Amino acid sequence: MINQNNDSTILTLNEQLLLDQISTLGNIGHEGSNKGRTRIALSDDEKLGRDQIVSWMKELDLDIQIDPIGNIFGTLNSNNQENQPLMMGSHIDTVKNAGALDGCYGVLSGLAVIRAFKDAQMLPSRPITVVAFTNEEGVRYQPDMMGSLVYAKGLELKTALATVGTDGTILKDELERIEYYGTFDSSKLIPFKYLELHIEQGPVLDSDKKEIGVVENLQGISWQKITIEGKANHAGTTPTRLRHDAGLAASLINVFVRDIALTTGTTLATIGALELEPNVINVIPNKVTFSLDIRDPNEQKLLDAEEKVKEYLRKLEIQEKVKISSQSLARFKPVQFDEKLASDIQESCDKLGFSNQRITSGAGHDAQMISRIAPSAMIFVPSRDGISHNPKEYTPDEQLIKGAKILLDVVLKHTK
Amino acid sequence: MINQNNDSTILTLNEQLLLDQISTLGNIGHEGSNKGRTRIALSDDEKLGRDQIVSWMKELDLDIQIDPIGNIFGTLNSNNQENQPLMMGSHIDTVKNAGALDGCYGVLSGLAVIRAFKDAQMLPSRPITVVAFTNEEGVRYQPDMMGSLVYAKGLELKTALATVGTDGTILKDELERIEYYGTFDSSKLIPFKYLELHIEQGPVLDSDKKEIGVVENLQGISWQKITIEGKANHAGTTPTRLRHDAGLAASLINVFVRDIALTTGTTLATIGALELEPNVINVIPNKVTFSLDIRDPNEQKLLDAEEKVKEYLRKLEIQEKVKISSQSLARFKPVQFDEKLASDIQESCDKLGFSNQRITSGAGHDAQMISRIAPSAMIFVPSRDGISHNPKEYTPDEQLIKGAKILLDVVLKHTK
């Protein structure tokens, strides 16, 4: 049994309901135990997820607002409506074949914190808002973290709405289709502070056996789309020296960026998506399009890696007789979170007796966007074996509850 | 103007009709000048191509027979029906975005040769058969050269019919669907000799400025399907040393086989088709499936390359912490064509004054299968820049006619 009370706060989480909601939301778009769930942003299944969140916000009598990029804001009002709200949030879209926790855990814990206020019939000293940001994952529409980026004025709404998806759809059309193209002017809702509770999605807390990660900063991210054009030719008759093999050039790049990662020790490099053309067994590939994801907590090292790749692409064009073009899909500098808010999180951990450590976020999160407009910080709970973006993503229920308790405690500190 | 007569033969080719038929067949499945035509074996468009061939065979009053693997035989009868037929043929299926000549040129030149007999009202001394073999390209169903392989008893009909395509379809179902699951027992039709006229699909004749290639042998071919299983994990949080990146392992293999090709100088190695899973920008690929095409004119060198790859896969399993399995899709030893028939071809070239040279076929062809059951040889014409399996595949009309004239001359020699 999970303990339903904790003496160190004056409010009580409905722990079982939080776990039940994580499970209910996780069943939307579920494709079987081996495949997890898939709720790509603005798909039919993600609409069902949104409808479920809105329905739970209604049960809590929240003021629900949808802005034109589809971000969903649910606000618990205060006696001091003129005060800026304390905001908690994350996202509910997923990658393909995802776990149930990435993003959803933060949104649903936000609702659980508000429920604790409602259950205690306690009015906060400032409004408390829970937000579910649109398209954090960036699977179909780039850049990722789009909803929070638009909200934080880092990307023009008009540009974001015109984004063409990997399936050729236009983002605004899909927002309208699923009925989440809202009219709320969210620029009027600037938070006092922003808190995001999330699973780590990496192996650090699990291997260090720590219960809570106090996230003090976040890696820089560089996403590129690289296109290589070679020449389609018969695989059996074209001498090696006369080939223009686009697929081989992509392989060489993959090996090259792995070497950068091994050399620096801090840089991460991944080719996650790749399409060959014509993709036929006995034809030398004439075209390849692939994504390159590079990250580093240090901006200079990230710049260095980008520059090395750029030089290598130029070299490869000559060596492999191919044409290479690259396009930036997303570029975010490393982010430093608000030190005061991080200290608050750490204090709450110490007060509640949860083991904790300072940590760098390897993944991108909506909090990095919101940190442009408000003091922000994040709370991490461990991911077993560091696995995420995978049906096997797992955090024990006890750990999920501990994370939500820290969130409640920090919120309470700022809204008593 | 193309010369409609040639004094060195007693029969005359209808050259313009041959060129027109190449063009007409090339328009079936055509997708625009940049995309060429796509008539994957047993697709709707390939059925249209088959119907066209059958209709042209009917115009020539040929005996038309379809066997259960869908090979189409059209026979011009002789006064000596007990004689084994002289057979000419190739295929009319294509790769994706193909040129108009690969395969089609050989089948249509066969019809042109028979037309020359009909036009001269000359009965050959033995039947003459033109054949269009099923699924030479092996795009959707492996192995390639399937129709001729089954015909030559190198693959059981039952096994071939049960082949599951890359799209999940079963070959027999598709044969029935397009109405080319025939009942003719083709084992009763063993040719006296087999001739295949084909474009080179390689750069040798073009760069050596020779009009005709006398094909004396053919490279060995090894096709494998390789599957690598790693672990899907977040691209931003998983340290390099903890990754199980299936896509990176595939890249390393591509670079490794390129090194084999560069080292031996005769081996060709190609990764032409590749699929990543989940194929998402910020997820480390947990699975990759790809084709590996290795060729060498020397069987021992081909065996060596296969062994090196096998060892490397074992090494990679440990180094990259992935699971690798491989499956042979096709394996053909190098083939030596019939020396007497090759000499006949060379004699015809010398007689007609066409420059020529002995050549090794880099590509696989139906002739290599038929060489198991009858003396076989091939005639090549140049491919501009060696380009094939590409909309830019091109051979000048004059060269196409010269090739057909050699075919006619050699056929005549054996059927006068």
Side-chain angles (χ1 to χ4, degrees), chain A residues 287-335:
Chain A
K287 191 173 175 186
V288 60
T289 309
F290 62 96
S291 63
L292 177 59
D293 174 322
I294 309 180
R295 311 197 190 198
D296 201 294
N298 179 293
E299 174 65 9
Q300 190 53 51
K301 282 190 177 175
L302 187 55
L303 286 168
D304 288 349
E306 288 178 317
E307 186 55 34
K308 275 182 201 159
V309 168
K310 207 171 145 192
E311 276 171 30
Y312 187 65
L313 297 188
R314 270 189 242 120
K315 190 184 137 190
L316 266 192
E317 281 195 312
I318 297 160
Q319 180 189 309
E320 299 300 327
K321 293 157 286 184
V322 292
K323 210 177 123 194
I324 307 182
S325 60
S326 65
Q327 179 196 347
S328 175
L329 294 180
R331 179 61 166 85
F332 300 116
K333 289 187 182 177
V335 169

Side-chain angles (χ1 to χ4, degrees), chain A residues 201 237 243 248 258 270 320, chain B residues 201 237 243 258 270 320:
Chain A
Q201 304 186 274
T237 61
R243 292 177 175 222
L248 178 77
R258 152 67 83 93
T270 311
E320 299 300 327
Chain B
Q201 304 185 274
T237 60
R243 292 177 175 223
R258 152 67 83 92
T270 311
E320 299 300 328

Side-chain angles (χ1 to χ4, degrees), chain A residues 130-244:
Chain A
V130 173
V131 56
F133 290 114
T134 291
N135 187 33
E136 195 272 348
E137 296 290 3
V139 173
R140 184 158 60 135
Y141 301 102
Q142 277 91 45
D144 56 345
M145 298 171 278
M146 187 186 271
S148 49
L149 184 61
V150 168
Y151 171 57
K153 307 264 184 221
L155 174 66
E156 265 203 87
L157 174 64
K158 210 170 59 180
T159 308
L161 290 174
T163 306
V164 179
T166 52
D167 57 354
T169 55
I170 293 164
L171 188 136
K172 186 184 172 205
D173 295 345
E174 288 288 276
L175 265 175
E176 285 178 334
R177 187 181 68 78
I178 67 163
E179 298 174 327
Y180 277 86
Y181 177 58
T183 56
F184 175 57
D185 178 4
S186 53
S187 68
K188 291 180 181 157
L189 188 81
I190 303 302
F192 164 65
K193 291 180 194 283
Y194 176 80
L195 280 165
E196 185 164 350
L197 173 62
H198 208 284
I199 56 168
E200 182 196 338
Q201 304 186 274
V204 179
L205 294 175
D206 188 46
S207 71
D208 291 356
K209 306 210 181 311
K210 290 284 159 62
E211 293 173 311
I212 300 289
V214 180
V215 189
E216 57 182 6
N217 61 0
L218 190 143
Q219 287 188 125
I221 301 180
S222 164
W223 278 9
Q224 293 178 63
K225 178 182 168 183
I226 298 181
T227 304
I228 306 182
E229 288 177 86
K231 198 192 261 183
N233 241 321
H234 194 292
T237 61
T238 314
T240 305
R241 68 190 158 77
L242 295 180
R243 292 177 175 222
H244 309 259

